[in-house]
Amino acid sequence: MTESRRPARRPGQGTGDRNAKPRQARRPSPSAVDPARTAARDVLRAVRDRDAYANLVLPALLRERKLDSRDAALATELTYGAARAQGLLDAVIESAAQRPVDEIDGGLLDVLRLGTYQLLRTRVAHHAAVATSVDLVRAEFGQGRAGFVNAVLRRVGEQTEDQWIERLAPDADRDPVGHLAFRYAHPMWIAQAFAHALGADAGELAEVLAADDARPIVHLVARPGIITAEELALVTGGEQGPWSPYAVHLDHGDPGRLDAVREGMAAVQDEGSQLVARALTLAPLTGDDGGRWLDLCAGPGGKAALLGALADLDGFTVDAVEPIEHRADLVRKTTRGMPVTVHVADGREPGLDPGYDRILVDAPCTGLGALRRRPEARWRRQPGDVADLVRLQKQLLASAIELLRPGGVVLYSTCSPHVSETVAIVADAVRRHGVEELDTRELVPGVPQLGDGPGVQLWPHRHGTDAMFMAALRKPIG
């Protein structure tokens, strides 16, 4: 139900006491402006100005400014929420401001997005959402622009999110995918890609988009041979994950502050990514496992570290390939103390000797399966990105098959459900290279609702993981 509010007061107008002296409009000092909203505004600005990643900028900023836990939690909610819902917010702002968002100064737009997000998608009181937004603008730009923001946000607050959706979204009967894309703040082309990937289960599209639009919980991976998931759950206060034997879920908190993470006993890793690495180790080979494994697309090192820990248990070794030096350095740090050798090379021509038993190709992709963890990514990716990535994915998979010994297995994975990056890549490899596609569902034991196979598509609404795809391919002998 829409909250009733008094009309906006003019600068200097009293608060109801006729004998009160008119107030002078003053810029609040920077220290007087809300620290949580200032932090959120600054992260959104970095994302807009520098194409920064919110999930990298925000934690560093929170530590630098020493925000207390309450302010840090609010800054996190506002930053990720506003970045995730940007398309919906911009449509509402355009309607309320009666001008396109690209005609609004970027500094004002950042604050308008934060204010609109608070008004439509949080329990923040409307007067607080408007007043703190106006303070942010007044402190930096002065009263004139603050008045514009005040007027726009008051118009936004006159309707609920559902009312704005009813007014602005495509008609649900004539364009059901477009309507859902608007409601759950996804670009239309991504919603269509999800519907295509769901196939006969396209009726679940609303559930997929809703899960993708929700704030995800933190997933940790317990390092095999160092700590068990049960032990990790006890020392962190988390809960063991349902699918990976190494997974622990945390509802809240900064995982970087956990002793287990700082000491290298655990790391942040989505449970779906854990299942991908584990599936490679479970794939049936023809002949014995000689213990020579390869991660062909290793940066930043999460899956290489899990493979390295598992290889170490059996005395095996892992080669890890990453073409960019600073990302290769991340792999080295992540796998320190493990039997992992990092090579700075292009996975398409890595210069390695063939004969690997197991190869992981966790290919560069659109990342559509991890949008919930990278809130701004859905608005950066474009349909035209797919073609170049598909070309690269085919080349990397061909390289892996060439490096594989006869009877060995390559596991191809992407953090995307887009069919051009998943089943189409696998079908092309089977046709071109004569590899045998295994039933990958058998390599993720205990996980339900994996579809008709032989590949595996995980979904956030079904499994609580990123939308990881994986397919296991065995090279024939002779």
Side-chain angles (χ1 to χ4, degrees):
M1 188 172 182
T2 304
E3 213 178 284
S4 60
R5 286 174 298 284
R6 296 174 182 173
R9 294 192 301 273
R10 295 187 298 277
Q13 183 178 350
T15 59
D17 181 354
R18 295 182 181 180
N19 296 318
K21 293 181 179 179
R23 292 187 303 171
Q24 297 296 317
R26 296 179 180 176
R27 294 192 184 191
S29 66
S31 61
V33 178
D34 183 275
R37 292 171 174 86
T38 300
R41 186 273 315 274
D42 291 347
V43 176
L44 292 186
R45 180 171 295 178
V47 170
R48 177 179 51 79
D49 277 350
R50 308 197 313 267
D51 283 339
Y53 294 95
N55 65 332
L56 299 180
V57 174
L58 180 63
L61 188 148
L62 295 179
R63 288 192 292 269
E64 175 189 328
R65 299 188 184 178
K66 298 181 172 59
L67 269 65
D68 63 32
S69 58
R70 183 175 179 178
D71 280 340
L74 178 58
T76 301
E77 168 64 20
L78 298 185
T79 299
Y80 293 163
R84 193 178 291 118
Q86 180 180 308
L88 183 148
L89 301 178
D90 283 359
V92 172
I93 290 167
E94 285 188 345
S95 180
Q98 298 182 345
R99 68 181 70 173
V101 291
D102 59 11
E103 294 181 7
I104 299 174
D105 179 89
L108 302 185
L109 183 58
D110 296 331
V111 177
L112 284 170
R113 286 168 173 165
L114 284 174
T116 301
Y117 178 75
Q118 292 172 76
L119 290 168
L120 300 186
R121 288 196 162 191
T122 75
R123 295 181 180 179
V124 173
H126 280 208
H127 67 86
V130 175
T132 53
S133 299
V134 170
D135 283 347
L136 280 172
V137 173
R138 186 186 294 123
E140 184 174 9
F141 298 106
Q143 181 60 29
R145 294 188 179 186
F148 168 73
V149 168
N150 179 66
V152 172
L153 291 180
R154 285 186 177 278
R155 291 190 199 109
V156 170
E158 289 171 358
Q159 299 185 66
T160 65
E161 180 183 7
D162 283 342
Q163 288 170 333
W164 279 113
I165 289 170
E166 184 178 353
R167 176 177 169 181
L168 300 176
D171 182 78
D173 293 326
R174 290 195 295 267
D175 184 3
V177 175
H179 181 87
L180 291 174
F182 187 92
R183 174 174 289 278
Y184 295 109
H186 281 70
M188 178 66 174
W189 76 274
I190 293 179
Q192 288 177 324
F194 285 0
H196 191 191
L198 285 165
D201 297 320
E204 297 178 19
L205 180 60
E207 296 174 66
V208 175
L209 296 177
D212 211 35
D213 200 33
R215 180 176 61 87
I217 63 173
V218 174
H219 292 184
L220 299 178
V221 57
R223 294 292 189 221
I226 299 177
I227 190 172
T228 66
E230 181 180 13
E231 292 166 340
L232 182 60
L234 287 172
V235 299
T236 61
E239 294 186 0
Q240 289 181 249
W243 318 125
S244 165
Y246 320 113
V248 169
H249 294 179
L250 292 178
D251 284 333
H252 60 275
D254 179 359
R257 295 182 179 180
L258 297 172
D259 289 340
V261 173
R262 289 202 303 262
E263 295 168 10
M265 295 187 291
V268 176
Q269 186 177 49
D270 183 79
E271 191 167 6
S273 293
Q274 298 174 40
L275 292 175
V276 166
R278 183 172 186 249
L280 175 65
T281 70
L282 297 179
L285 309 177
T286 302
D288 295 334
D289 191 338
R292 191 169 176 232
W293 299 356
L294 171 64
D295 184 348
L296 195 61
C297 311
K303 295 181 183 69
L306 182 51
L307 288 175
L310 292 170
D312 197 27
L313 297 176
D314 293 318
F316 296 165
T317 62
V318 178
D319 285 313
V321 172
E322 167 54 48
I324 302 173
E325 178 58 48
H326 76 87
R327 285 171 59 87
D329 192 48
L330 290 175
V331 180
R332 294 187 191 98
K333 291 177 180 177
T334 303
T335 60
R336 186 176 290 120
M338 301 177 186
V340 177
T341 301
V342 180
H343 306 265
V344 181
D346 188 324
R348 292 169 291 187
E349 295 182 0
L352 300 173
D353 293 331
Y356 287 95
D357 299 279
R358 302 179 188 273
I359 300 177
L360 174 64
V361 179
D362 184 40
C365 67
T366 56
L368 301 188
L371 295 179
R372 61 193 189 132
R373 298 194 187 279
R374 301 182 181 97
E376 71 287 330
R378 69 187 67 181
W379 310 110
R380 283 185 177 162
R381 281 295 185 192
Q382 300 296 326
D385 297 338
V386 177
D388 287 343
L389 286 165
V390 164
R391 189 177 306 109
L392 175 60
Q393 290 156 1
K394 289 179 178 180
Q395 293 168 343
L396 287 167
L397 187 50
S399 173
I401 293 168
E402 187 70 24
L403 291 167
L404 201 63
R405 71 162 174 82
V409 170
V410 57
L411 191 126
Y412 173 80
S413 69
T414 62
C415 191
S416 170
H418 197 300
V419 295
S420 295
E421 301 184 272
T422 58
V423 293
I425 296 292
V426 174
D428 179 78
V430 170
R431 184 179 68 254
R432 289 176 181 271
H433 306 293
V435 288
E436 173 193 3
E437 185 173 6
L438 305 178
D439 189 343
T440 311
R441 294 171 298 178
E442 297 176 0
L443 309 182
V444 283
V447 182
Q449 292 184 282
L450 295 176
D452 298 329
V456 163
Q457 179 64 64
L458 301 173
W459 290 103
H461 71 295
R462 291 179 182 173
H463 309 106
T465 68
D466 291 344
M468 300 293 303
F469 171 84
M470 65 184 99
L473 305 171
R474 186 163 57 198
K475 191 172 185 176
I477 293 178

